[in-house]
């Protein structure tokens, strides 16, 4: 009886799914020209699995089924270095070169050009900071992302990706790392993309994953982080795909086919990132409470930015992730999962000095069911002394991160062998 009801409920679920999701069916086969493989033969395949490092499958670069979610996403690709970074190579002929002289800036450019093509084909609004061997300052690179015009008319790229390859005075080190700026709490949106890219890159390039964290803060290297990420006012990450100082890897990196593996892995990571949505919210309304005093009421509507999939009528926002901070301190809030309305009330110690404009830092954090964080997360609320009105504007990422600088520890590359 129990089994019957199980089958019945399974059939009901199936019917319900078909009501909303079934169109005309196409025959789906995995191995269309052969007899079905036996379980025994499938087990035998597992017996003959190749080793991890050094075994590269044939290059296949099909269009990712989720690439449609990249349509209209503004991504700035920054192939690192170029023209051997001004006169650095004149001072040091080995500057950014592998053991046999392969140049990092050339590798970065090939990966960038290939990735540009893959993302353009997917419909992304993709911009290269350089498409040839040329010198470009770090701030100039970041400013291309900061001033990028999005298809929605807004200013600032959705994501900035600086493409690099790593070096260390250790001939065997070869792992993949993706770097974010500052503290994890200040880099939530960039980290959402970084996770997918780091996993895909390490697997595609067969690097020695697990030697260190695939995600690292740039403040582990320098107290102020990497110059290019510091200057970046939009979500930004820096890839160190592998080590050109490792002999075999240097030779692989000369090959545009290998560079295509890298570009394709980043593309796959970006498809998967875009698939999970990029949450945001309406610009919050803020006003002093009509009851008087210094009480402020805030209201906004959260948007998980996921398609109208079946299940859209249930909340797809993790309620435990919703947080409102005023001047760095959490304040009580209410979130209605049905209307997606977020409200908070907080009391200011004063309305500021007469004749001066008082500024308040406001942060709103939440994640959708893919654990993708919202953007923007930070605003400046100003109290105007003339009429006690409140104004609100988004804070650029850089301003919010300035206070978060921590001292550098031992460079991560030095810990690894
Ligand atoms: Zn580099």
């Amino acid at each position: 009886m129990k089994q019957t009801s199980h089958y019945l409920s399974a059939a009901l679920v199936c019917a319900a799914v078909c009501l909303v999701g079934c169109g005309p069916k196409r025959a789906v086969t995995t191995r269309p020209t052969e007899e079905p493989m036996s379980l025994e033969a499938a087990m035998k395949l597992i017996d003959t699995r190749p080793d991890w490092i050094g075994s590269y499958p044939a290059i296949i670069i099909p269009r990712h089924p989720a690439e449609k979610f990249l349509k209209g996403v503004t991504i700035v690709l920054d192939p690192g270095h170029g023209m051997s970074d001004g006169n650095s190579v004149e001072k040091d002929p080995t500057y950014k070169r592998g053991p046999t002289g392969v140049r990092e800036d050339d590798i970065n450019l090939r990966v960038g050009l290939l990735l540009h093509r893959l993302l353009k084909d997917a419909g992304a609004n993709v911009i290269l900071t350089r498409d040839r061997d040329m010198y470009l300052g770090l701030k100039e690179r970041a400013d291309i992302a900061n001033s990028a015009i999005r298809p929605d008319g807004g200013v600032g790229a959705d994501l900035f990706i600086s493409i690099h390859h790593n070096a260390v005075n250790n001939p065997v080190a070869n792992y993949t790392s993706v770097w974010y700026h500052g503290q994890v709490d200040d880099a939530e949106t960039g980290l959402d993309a970084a996770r997918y890219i780091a996993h895909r890159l390490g697997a595609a390039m067969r690097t020695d994953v697990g030697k260190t964290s695939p995600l690292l803060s740039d403040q582990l290297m320098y107290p102020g982080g990497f110059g290019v990420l510091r200057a970046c006012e939009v979500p930004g990450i820096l890839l160190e795909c592998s080590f050109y100082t490792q002999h075999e890897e240097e030779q692989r990196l000369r090959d545009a086919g290998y560079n295509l593996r890298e570009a394709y892995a980043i593309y796959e990571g970006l498809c998967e990132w875009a698939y999970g949505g990029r949450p945001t919210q309406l610009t919050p309304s803020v006003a002093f409470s009509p009851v008087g005093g210094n009480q402020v009421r805030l209201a906004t509507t959260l948007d998980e930015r996921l398609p109208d999939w079946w299940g859209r009528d249930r909340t797809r926002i993790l309620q435990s992730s919703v947080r409102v901070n005023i001047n760095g301190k959490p304040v009580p809030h209410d979130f209605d999962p049905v209307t997606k309305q977020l409200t908070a009330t907080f009391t200011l110690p004063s309305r500021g000095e007469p004749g001066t404009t008082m500024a308040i830092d406001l942060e709103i954090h939440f994640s959708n069911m893919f654990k993708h964080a919202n953007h923007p997360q930070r605003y400046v609320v100003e109290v105007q002394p003339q009429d006690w009105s409140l104004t609100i504007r988004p804070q650029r990422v850089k301003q919010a991160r300035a206070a978060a600088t921590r001292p550098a520890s031992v460079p991560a590359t030095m810990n690894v062998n």
Side-chain angles (χ1 to χ4, degrees):
M1 185 60 198
K2 226 174 184 176
Q3 213 172 32
T4 313
S5 64
H6 172 78
Y7 288 140
L8 185 64
S9 57
L12 283 173
V13 168
C14 217
V17 169
C18 284
L19 273 177
V20 294
C22 291
K25 286 230 164 108
R26 273 180 296 169
V28 177
T29 54
T30 51
R31 302 167 65 245
T33 58
E34 298 168 38
E35 282 296 299
M37 182 183 281
S38 67
L39 179 60
E40 195 184 15
M43 286 289 184
K44 273 220 165 69
L45 267 184
I46 297 177
D47 289 341
T48 57
R49 295 172 78 195
D51 288 335
W52 173 244
I53 295 173
S55 76
Y56 295 89
I59 301 178
I60 49 161
I61 54 162
R63 284 177 174 271
H64 194 294
E67 73 168 21
K68 59 192 168 200
F69 293 104
L70 283 170
K71 195 168 173 9
V73 179
T74 299
I75 300 172
V76 170
L77 300 177
D78 172 42
H81 313 291
M83 209 71 107
S84 295
D85 283 354
N87 60 5
S88 299
V89 77
E90 287 163 24
K91 293 181 194 155
D92 175 11
T94 65
Y95 177 78
K96 306 284 181 197
R97 287 171 192 256
T100 68
V102 174
R103 286 170 52 176
E104 186 204 337
D105 53 2
D106 285 345
I107 307 165
N108 299 338
L109 181 59
R110 280 195 299 275
V111 175
L113 290 171
L114 291 162
L115 179 56
H116 176 264
R117 172 65 196 278
L118 292 169
L119 295 175
K120 253 222 138 33
D121 283 3
N125 177 34
V126 52
I127 300 162
L128 278 164
T129 56
R130 67 179 182 98
D131 59 5
R132 59 190 183 281
D133 189 15
M134 59 180 278
Y135 176 78
L136 204 57
L138 297 177
K139 184 156 182 353
E140 287 174 88
R141 294 165 190 266
D143 279 345
I144 292 171
N146 297 339
S147 59
I149 307 293
R150 300 191 304 268
D152 66 5
V155 178
D158 295 305
L159 187 64
F160 171 83
I161 304 176
S162 196
I163 301 166
H164 289 255
H165 291 74
N166 217 338
V168 68
N169 189 18
N170 173 350
V172 297
N174 189 29
Y175 56 86
T176 299
S177 49
V178 179
W179 300 72
Y180 59 89
H181 184 57
Q183 304 296 306
V184 282
D185 284 321
D186 301 316
E188 286 184 7
T189 320
L191 275 165
D192 289 336
R195 284 181 215 108
Y196 295 99
I197 294 172
H199 291 161
R200 283 286 184 177
L201 260 180
M205 300 176 76
R206 300 291 194 260
T207 56
D208 198 1
V209 302
K211 274 288 179 186
T212 185
S213 165
L215 305 174
L216 293 163
S217 165
D218 61 356
Q219 288 177 342
L220 293 166
M221 292 297 285
Y222 306 107
F226 293 149
V228 73
L229 293 185
R230 193 169 55 243
C232 193
E233 297 175 359
V234 299
I237 51 175
L238 185 145
L239 317 180
E240 295 284 5
C241 303
S242 67
F243 282 74
Y244 60 86
T245 41
Q246 204 261 1
H247 283 251
E248 290 84 10
E249 185 69 9
E250 183 204 21
Q251 296 312 305
R252 285 191 285 268
L253 289 166
R254 295 169 60 205
D255 173 15
Y258 187 73
N259 302 146
L260 179 57
R261 287 183 196 275
E262 306 179 67
Y264 186 73
I266 302 165
Y267 153 84
E268 282 183 303
L270 288 170
C271 290
E272 290 163 3
W273 163 66
Y275 196 2
R278 295 172 299 115
T280 189
Q281 65 279 328
L282 293 179
T283 300
S285 67
V286 280
F288 278 111
S289 167
V291 296
N294 296 333
Q295 200 177 69
V296 176
R297 188 173 156 78
L298 173 154
T300 184
T301 305
L302 309 188
D303 182 353
E304 74 270 23
R305 292 278 297 275
L306 292 169
D308 278 347
W309 289 324
W310 185 49
R312 67 187 174 280
D313 50 348
R314 298 179 73 89
T315 183
R316 297 180 290 185
I317 290 168
L318 289 167
Q319 293 189 56
S320 63
S321 70
V322 181
R323 187 158 51 91
V324 179
N325 283 1
I326 298 297
N327 289 335
K329 297 262 167 31
V331 296
H333 65 266
D334 281 310
F335 174 62
D336 182 336
V338 177
T339 62
K340 298 175 191 172
Q341 275 271 313
L342 172 69
T343 54
T345 305
F346 53 92
T347 304
L348 298 176
S350 76
R351 295 194 179 195
E353 298 296 320
T356 60
T357 303
M358 190 172 79
I360 304 151
D361 285 335
L362 162 67
E363 286 176 55
I364 294 175
H365 293 266
F366 71 96
S367 303
N368 70 12
M369 64 182 183
F370 287 84
K371 298 203 172 174
H372 287 193
N374 62 313
H375 183 80
Q377 296 179 327
R378 292 169 173 83
Y379 298 88
V380 180
V381 178
E382 286 181 339
V383 184
Q384 305 298 333
Q386 301 86 357
D387 56 0
W388 301 122
S389 65
L390 296 172
T391 58
I392 185 164
R393 59 185 158 80
Q395 243 188 101
R396 288 291 197 149
V397 174
K398 188 174 81 172
Q399 292 167 308
R401 289 190 302 223
T405 306
R406 300 281 188 279
S409 60
V410 178
T413 45
M414 298 298 138
N415 288 335
V416 178
N417 50 40

